[in-house]
Amino acid sequence: MTRRDDTGGRTVVVVGAGAAGTGVFVHLVAAALRTAGPAGARPVRSVLVVDPAPPGWGLAFGDADPLLMCNSAADVNSLLPDRPDDFVEHLRARGWTGRPDTCVPRARMAEYCHDRWTRAREQAVGGGLTARHIQARALSVGFADGRPRVRLDDGSELAADDVIVATGVHRPRVPRGFAAFTGHPRYLDSPYPSARLRAELGTGRRVLVLGSRQSAVDAALLLCRDGHRTTLASPSGMLPAVRLSLHAPVRAFPPLERMSRLDPADPLLERRMTRCVVEAVRLLGDRPLRRQTSRAAEPVRRLAEETALADAGACQWPGVAVAVIEALTAFGDGLPAARHRAVMEHFDWFVGRYLTALTVVNARRLLGHFRAGTLRMAPGGYPASVAFEDGAWRVTSPGSPPASYDHVVNATGFHPPELTWEAGGTVLALAPAADGIGTAVDRLEADLRVRRHPGAAPEHVWVAGVGTHVRIPFSNHLRTVTRQARRVAEQVAADG
């Protein structure tokens, strides 16, 4: 069955209703209402948003557990790039009295996205546009008759003139050594949603969490609160650094602006980029960078020392974090794929430990669990071998005795979204090909439109949000996402 919205103008299908999809919808409605032609005719007449979850309540923010906090401050979480205080104003209108540079529970962000979706929908209807949320999962976009058709998981199709793919992450990574256990009843592929974690584990279990970055911290906080004895294991054995929050830049940083003039082919590129970052940090105060972080080798001691630095106001480097993200994003936008990967791999330690650092609130919580003995780091690091025997996981790690666990929780993160050309280039699957047959979309041009091959004419399919990772570093940074959403929405509204 093919569903149509024959309203006399173009139909746009937005795939995804999380923060990226909501941002696209808000900007698309605003752009469509601005582009009235003669006698009120509008190029865009219908906007359909496809997502099984309610608008705003995606994986990134759509968990109501109050322990799960945004990692970025309220002052960088606006959906409107020209109104950076929009999220703060939304919170203030609902009684929030916190500081704009601090973090709030993720559910507050989901509520905000849903509220802005509702407002935009009311504006759309008032302006004569059709705006609907279709509660289904989009599987692919077909082009058999020239006009895009979005196939849904209920077997139906949506006829569209334009499609904007704004999906977030959904596919958990498979950690090393656990490929044979991904369907095991004592293995959870992700800490999310938190309600599933609580329902399947009960209380008082011995739990091994794979990972030590943000998802693993979330898992540890949830599990320890619910009475589980929790162990974190990762190849690095390191926890993220600690900061107040990822907040808006406090000033301009000329050294980072200089980064845009660096030569991508320079063999000393990474060294020169590092120098730009260090010089930017120096602009925030006289305290040397080496005295703003801990050098302790033991991860819990390091966590304690960096928490103390953050609490004492002696941690200035986070003031450049957003500016660094955006400078690296601007520099890496459109680099050849191999160079892009090389630069990001060189800075993986910096990204994993500092740009995705812990909020001081979560750092204090973790320390409390470490000190209470309910949380520990795996003494031997990541498992060398694993088996499930006699009702328990048996795990061995280098240099430590075998350990037993009741459950394993994978918190190593998610694969970024991938698009794949199938059926001879007539179908764009919104996931990797299950049979391995297909051509991955591994490049986007500056307009963020999908092409069947380099040099081909653009399709009426745009990408916004995390899916632009094939072109843009830090594609999940919300300020990048909302700017993309606005740019894509304005292109689509003007494309008729």
Side-chain angles (χ1 to χ4, degrees):
M1 179 182 72
T2 300
R3 308 188 211 177
R4 294 183 180 275
D5 267 81
D6 294 321
T7 51
R10 286 162 42 234
T11 294
V12 180
V13 174
V14 180
V15 179
T22 299
V24 167
F25 178 76
V26 168
H27 289 292
L28 184 57
V29 168
L33 292 177
R34 288 196 304 267
T35 55
R42 299 189 188 283
V44 173
R45 277 292 185 181
S46 181
V47 183
L48 310 178
V49 178
V50 180
D51 198 305
W57 290 84
L59 180 69
F61 299 111
D63 197 308
D65 196 300
L67 268 185
L68 299 180
M69 304 284 290
C70 293
N71 192 44
S72 51
D75 64 6
V76 294
N77 279 8
S78 171
L79 291 178
L80 309 177
D82 56 344
R83 290 180 54 194
D85 294 332
D86 191 54
F87 182 44
V88 173
E89 291 171 1
H90 166 87
L91 293 170
R92 293 270 188 253
R94 286 151 182 80
W96 185 67
T97 57
R99 289 167 38 187
D101 63 349
T102 58
C103 300
V104 298
R106 290 179 205 167
R108 304 298 295 272
M109 184 64 186
E111 292 164 357
Y112 162 67
C113 289
H114 189 81
D115 180 77
R116 293 305 185 252
W117 150 272
T118 301
R119 287 191 185 187
R121 185 179 182 280
E122 290 170 352
Q123 293 167 355
V125 172
L129 303 180
T130 297
R132 292 194 293 127
H133 170 226
I134 296 173
Q135 200 161 359
R137 186 176 299 282
L139 302 178
S140 63
V141 182
F143 300 87
D145 60 359
R147 187 183 186 190
R149 293 173 181 268
V150 180
R151 186 165 65 89
L152 308 182
D153 60 356
D154 63 5
S156 66
E157 292 183 336
L158 297 174
D161 295 286
D162 305 278
V163 177
I164 304 172
V165 180
T167 52
V169 296
H170 296 286
R171 294 185 302 119
R173 297 182 185 277
V174 178
R176 189 177 74 234
F178 285 84
F181 299 106
T182 54
H184 196 282
R186 298 280 192 91
Y187 170 90
L188 273 74
D189 61 0
S190 163
Y192 316 111
S194 60
R196 182 187 66 158
L197 198 69
R198 191 175 307 115
E200 296 197 16
L201 269 65
T203 58
R205 305 296 186 185
R206 299 165 301 169
V207 184
L208 176 65
V209 174
L210 303 173
S212 61
R213 293 187 179 183
Q214 289 293 338
S215 294
V217 169
D218 284 347
L221 294 176
L222 293 165
L223 291 165
C224 290
R225 179 198 60 189
D226 293 342
H228 302 290
R229 288 166 290 162
T230 306
T231 300
L232 297 177
S234 74
S236 72
M238 294 176 60
L239 293 165
V242 181
R243 63 178 171 214
L244 174 67
S245 67
L246 184 69
H247 55 79
V250 296
R251 53 162 294 167
F253 294 100
L256 298 181
E257 295 167 7
R258 192 172 73 237
M259 195 181 290
S260 65
R261 300 191 293 274
L262 296 177
D263 180 2
D266 185 346
L268 300 178
L269 173 66
E270 288 81 2
R271 185 183 302 176
R272 299 189 198 284
M273 296 177 85
T274 301
R275 185 182 303 160
C276 290
V277 174
V278 172
E279 290 178 11
V281 174
R282 288 176 182 159
L283 295 177
L284 294 177
D286 296 331
R287 189 180 184 90
L289 185 57
R290 67 180 180 278
R291 293 178 55 206
Q292 298 182 38
T293 59
S294 168
R295 292 295 181 267
E298 200 281 316
V300 180
R301 179 182 172 187
R302 193 168 188 173
L303 176 70
E305 292 179 357
E306 293 187 335
T307 301
L309 286 168
D311 280 334
C315 187
Q316 297 165 331
W317 63 264
V320 307
V322 167
V324 169
I325 288 172
E326 294 176 356
L328 287 173
T329 298
F331 180 83
D333 185 355
L335 276 183
R339 195 68 180 107
H340 179 180
R341 283 194 301 271
V343 170
M344 296 308 295
E345 286 171 4
H346 181 84
F347 287 105
D348 182 66
W349 63 274
F350 180 66
V351 173
R353 179 142 220 284
Y354 294 98
L355 293 189
T356 56
L358 290 175
T359 67
V360 71
V361 172
N362 279 348
R364 292 191 208 107
R365 290 169 174 167
L366 278 184
L367 274 176
H369 294 307
F370 278 120
R371 289 166 176 165
T374 55
L375 177 64
R376 66 170 191 154
M377 300 296 294
Y382 193 80
S385 65
V386 60
F388 190 83
E389 301 169 349
D390 301 324
W393 292 98
R394 309 295 181 191
V395 174
T396 58
S397 301
S400 63
S404 296
Y405 300 95
D406 300 307
H407 293 268
V408 172
V409 176
N410 172 32
T412 58
F414 294 81
H415 292 285
E418 294 181 36
L419 306 178
T420 308
W421 284 112
E422 298 180 347
T426 62
V427 174
L428 181 66
L430 305 184
D435 56 7
I437 300 175
T439 303
V441 176
D442 58 2
R443 181 174 176 80
L444 290 171
E445 301 300 331
D447 59 7
L448 303 183
R449 294 178 70 169
V450 175
R451 289 162 171 79
R452 301 191 191 208
H453 55 80
E459 304 294 336
H460 281 267
V461 178
W462 283 256
V463 183
V466 187
T468 64
H469 67 94
V470 295
R471 178 183 176 90
I472 298 172
F474 305 106
S475 57
N476 61 341
H477 177 50
L478 192 60
R479 297 208 325 175
T480 298
V481 170
T482 57
R483 290 164 182 162
Q484 286 179 356
R486 179 177 61 181
R487 181 156 58 100
V488 168
E490 290 174 349
Q491 285 184 60
V492 171
D495 195 56

